[in-house]
Amino acid sequence: MRRDTRDRTFFQRGGFGLLALLAVLTFAFDILPAARLIGAALAPGGAFSPDNALSVITSRSAIRASVATLETALLSSLLALLIGGAMALVLGLTDARARRPASFLFVLSMMISPQVVALAFLSLAGPASPLLNALGLAPAAGTPNPMLGRGGIILVLGLHHAPLVYVVLSAGLRRIPGAVIEAARIDGSSPKRIVGTIVLPLLRPHLIGAALLAFVAGIGNFGIPALLGAPVNYLTLPVLIYRRLSSFGPGIIGDVAALGLLVAAVAGLCVALSHWLTREEAVQLEEDRPFEPFWRLGAGRRLAETGVWAVLAVALALPMLSLLTASLVPSYGMALTPVTATLDNFVEVLVRQDVTVRAFRNSFFYAGGAALALALLSIPLAYALVRRAGAARTIVPALLEIAYVLPGVVLAIACILLFLKPLPLVGVSLYATPWIIVFAYLARFLPVALKPAMAAMEQVELAQEEAAALDGARTFRRIADIVAPSLLPAAAAGGLMAFLLAFNELTVSALLWSAGTETIGVVLYNLEEAGLAAQASAIAVTSVVVITLAMLALDRLSARLPAGTLPWDCASASPVARAAAAAPMAPFVPERLAPVTAPHGQVVRG
């Protein structure tokens, strides 16, 4: 039934409160922190004077840290592109078995916090490695740990960010219409030729975008360079910022704001370029049927599967085994034997030590509270963006991503600048309280929680809302009775994703914590700095267990979520592809081929 103008106006009436909420959150979480950071860097004391920022940025230590940041980010992004690209092609194009479990485990290696990954690789190599000592493979005493310094940082960053490349490329593969592949197969093209002439050209924007995102992640990473570079005085910009602020306190805030602005400028430029390259117009093809794996490897399948599980062993299994081994010995450096094996480190950090027990409790409360708030906020915000935002629908999500795009150290500096003085009107200061950490979590992970809800909102039909509106239901009643039940699984998934990222978070917490507000990431870093690697490993193992359980809970929700919501679901996002992952590949049926626009614009018909 066609709605007249009166019905349309009646249905669209209201919702101004939702738009106001959206505007307030965008201003508070993104625009205000960014503006405060720029003001502190370029106008210290309130007067425009960029000379101080220029002198800080061009100082010898800043230049040396910038070079270290750029070289580790560049080389690690190339390594991540190589590994993540190979995994995306094998798991997305071929008939390799167990693609979805492999995808889950690969993404799990990225969800584990960087400082845990760094600690795992630090424990894996070197003469003091409990695992190597247990196997009798440890190098001679006094041999330097190969993970310390530039090479170790590049290797660990590359392995840690390879799943990010994998997720981006897998999403790009899903946008290639399956009929294009079928047309090429009808024409007699081999799978290798299809990959070279169709798949890779269509993936070119995603390849560049994925490399840029890995580069940005390398620039802003704090945990890996802090644990692997700081002990040998190889400092990146985030580590230099942390050292200056922790050594000199808030009095040096203008200097660190200038350094933070430098990091933010490089990261923002790369992210903007990545978004432009992977925008929706990048592939102009009719998606008449979903993309499915098409490459039967035959005798080479076992070799491809071996390569996939070898990557998982290096990126996840060996480091986690090293952590577990280090956590089960009385002190770091001892070999694990039936005599030396002990659970005392777990008892120490989970029961006896007040600071570690408090850190676990704080992390659960801060991350869990922020995740719950974001899950609840995502429903009205998704409704406002999809139904009410109009022309601002593309601008507001980009603004909301500012806090997520900013490296964590930069966001932490912005929060310090915002809350160092008491809030106007109320006269209450959030600085050195748990609320400043929660605020940073809310600002940083709002885009993560919002995306699944927006994807689900796109699929909610208007018919029920229209009927309720004509029956007199106002906007908030329609949201509560119709929209919220449909969006609840996606909102829960978004909240769990935010919890995954916030629970072990270190980059933001490292600058915002105070006595009594320690988090897991902060305590783990401090224990490693104090030489208590066995206790730090016990904390790391426990946090990995928590993250794995949260990911399994998310996986249970996958059937009720829009396709592609979960990052490890990329390899089998469509129902057809999910069936292919669990069963032998279906035979090729040419009769199913429908008209489709080929990559060069010509129309191909079966």
Side-chain angles (χ1 to χ4, degrees):
M1 181 183 295
R2 184 178 179 180
R3 293 178 284 122
D4 57 26
T5 304
R6 182 184 60 189
D7 292 339
R8 184 184 297 272
T9 303
F10 178 77
F11 174 66
Q12 293 182 343
R13 187 184 305 165
F16 298 108
L18 294 175
L19 293 177
L21 174 65
L22 186 60
V24 168
L25 292 180
T26 303
F27 179 77
F29 287 162
D30 299 276
I31 297 176
L32 188 58
R36 190 69 183 87
L37 178 71
I38 295 172
L42 301 181
F48 182 72
S49 177
D51 294 341
N52 179 67
L54 185 61
S55 64
V56 171
I57 291 173
T58 56
S59 65
R60 182 179 300 178
S61 59
I63 292 175
R64 188 163 52 245
S66 298
V67 171
T69 302
L70 292 174
E71 69 175 353
T72 53
L74 176 62
L75 295 176
S76 67
S77 64
L78 294 178
L79 178 60
L81 184 64
L82 177 64
I83 298 173
M87 291 288 282
L89 293 179
V90 172
L91 297 179
L93 302 182
T94 74
D95 62 343
R97 292 164 293 190
R99 294 196 304 275
R100 197 166 188 277
S103 180
F104 178 90
L105 293 174
F106 196 42
V107 175
L108 174 62
S109 69
M110 179 179 66
M111 291 298 182
I112 298 170
S113 62
Q115 70 272 14
V116 171
V117 175
L119 179 62
F121 277 93
L122 198 59
S123 302
L124 179 62
S129 169
L131 180 61
L132 294 183
N133 277 296
L135 297 174
L137 300 175
T143 304
N145 193 316
M147 290 293 109
L148 290 174
R150 176 175 173 269
I153 295 174
I154 292 170
L155 174 63
V156 178
L157 281 176
L159 289 171
H160 188 60
H161 295 147
L164 176 63
V165 173
Y166 165 77
V167 169
V168 174
L169 295 184
S170 295
L173 285 175
R174 288 204 313 274
R175 296 179 56 195
I176 300 176
V180 173
I181 307 301
E182 290 188 357
R185 294 177 67 181
I186 286 178
D187 199 37
S189 296
S190 65
K192 186 182 297 185
R193 182 176 176 82
I194 292 173
V195 172
T197 59
I198 296 178
V199 174
L200 291 181
L202 291 177
L203 278 183
R204 187 179 295 117
H206 295 84
L207 285 166
I208 300 173
L212 285 172
L213 288 178
F215 179 75
V216 170
I219 286 177
N221 194 286
F222 171 76
I224 293 173
L227 285 176
L228 302 183
V232 292
N233 207 35
Y234 184 85
L235 306 182
T236 60
L237 278 173
V239 181
L240 177 65
I241 292 171
Y242 171 77
R243 277 197 170 184
R244 288 196 176 183
L245 193 57
S246 60
S247 299
F248 298 99
I252 201 173
I253 198 71
D255 292 353
V256 296
L259 292 173
L261 191 61
L262 173 63
V263 178
V266 176
L269 179 64
C270 292
V271 170
L273 184 58
S274 174
H275 274 265
W276 180 76
L277 288 168
T278 56
R279 66 194 189 280
E280 299 236 347
E281 295 80 13
V283 181
Q284 299 289 346
L285 294 170
E286 300 174 18
E287 300 186 17
D288 65 317
R289 55 170 304 191
F291 180 87
E292 299 175 33
F294 62 88
W295 194 339
R296 294 181 179 84
L297 295 174
R301 185 167 72 169
R302 188 178 297 276
L303 179 62
E305 292 170 348
T306 301
V308 167
W309 292 102
V311 169
L312 292 176
V314 174
L316 182 63
L318 279 176
M320 294 305 106
L321 181 61
S322 173
L323 273 183
L324 181 61
T325 305
S327 68
L328 293 176
V329 295
S331 62
Y332 185 66
M334 295 182 64
L336 179 64
T337 66
V339 176
T340 60
T342 177
L343 295 175
D344 192 60
N345 291 315
F346 289 95
V347 176
E348 184 71 21
V349 299
L350 296 177
V351 179
R352 296 178 191 152
Q353 286 189 9
D354 290 339
V355 63
T356 53
V357 173
R358 184 170 61 243
F360 272 103
R361 184 173 62 246
N362 289 345
S363 290
F364 271 110
F365 280 133
Y366 302 165
L372 178 61
L374 291 174
L376 295 176
L377 282 172
S378 67
I379 294 175
L381 292 181
Y383 184 87
L385 283 169
V386 175
R387 294 281 195 261
R388 293 287 186 264
R393 182 177 171 183
T394 56
I395 300 173
V396 173
L399 291 175
L400 287 174
E401 288 189 358
I402 290 176
Y404 190 66
V405 167
L406 286 176
V409 170
V410 179
L411 177 62
I413 295 171
C415 290
I416 292 172
L417 290 167
L418 279 176
F419 302 118
L420 190 58
K421 296 180 180 180
L423 296 173
L425 301 178
V426 295
V428 176
S429 176
L430 299 186
Y431 185 70
T433 70
W435 297 109
I436 190 172
I437 299 177
V438 174
F439 176 89
Y441 287 173
L442 291 172
R444 186 164 181 80
F445 301 120
L446 176 59
V448 175
L450 186 57
K451 285 183 179 180
M454 285 190 65
M457 188 67 218
E458 296 278 3
Q459 300 182 9
V460 175
E461 296 289 342
L462 278 172
Q464 288 182 314
E465 284 188 73
E466 292 171 341
L470 294 173
D471 198 38
R474 294 183 176 272
T475 301
F476 290 98
R477 181 64 180 271
R478 297 198 301 269
I479 292 175
D481 293 346
I482 299 172
V483 176
S486 300
L487 266 59
L488 197 57
L496 278 171
M497 285 292 293
F499 176 82
L500 279 172
L501 296 171
F503 179 73
N504 276 340
E505 199 279 332
L506 172 64
T507 312
V508 171
S509 307
L511 296 180
L512 298 182
W513 73 278
S514 58
T517 65
E518 305 91 342
T519 62
I520 290 299
V522 171
V523 168
L524 187 151
Y525 179 68
N526 290 341
L527 287 174
E528 173 61 25
E529 286 273 282
L532 300 173
Q535 294 181 17
S537 298
I539 291 179
V541 170
T542 306
S543 67
V544 170
V545 171
V546 172
I547 293 302
T548 304
L549 292 176
M551 282 186 62
L552 289 173
L554 264 173
D555 197 58
R556 294 292 299 271
L557 286 172
S558 61
R560 303 182 61 185
L561 298 175
T565 299
L566 301 180
W568 57 88
D569 222 12
C570 290
S572 53
S574 69
V576 176
R578 285 180 183 175
M585 296 187 67
F588 173 58
V589 184
E591 290 77 8
R592 293 184 296 177
L593 184 61
V596 64
T597 305
H600 300 291
Q602 69 269 25
V603 175
V604 181
R605 298 180 184 275

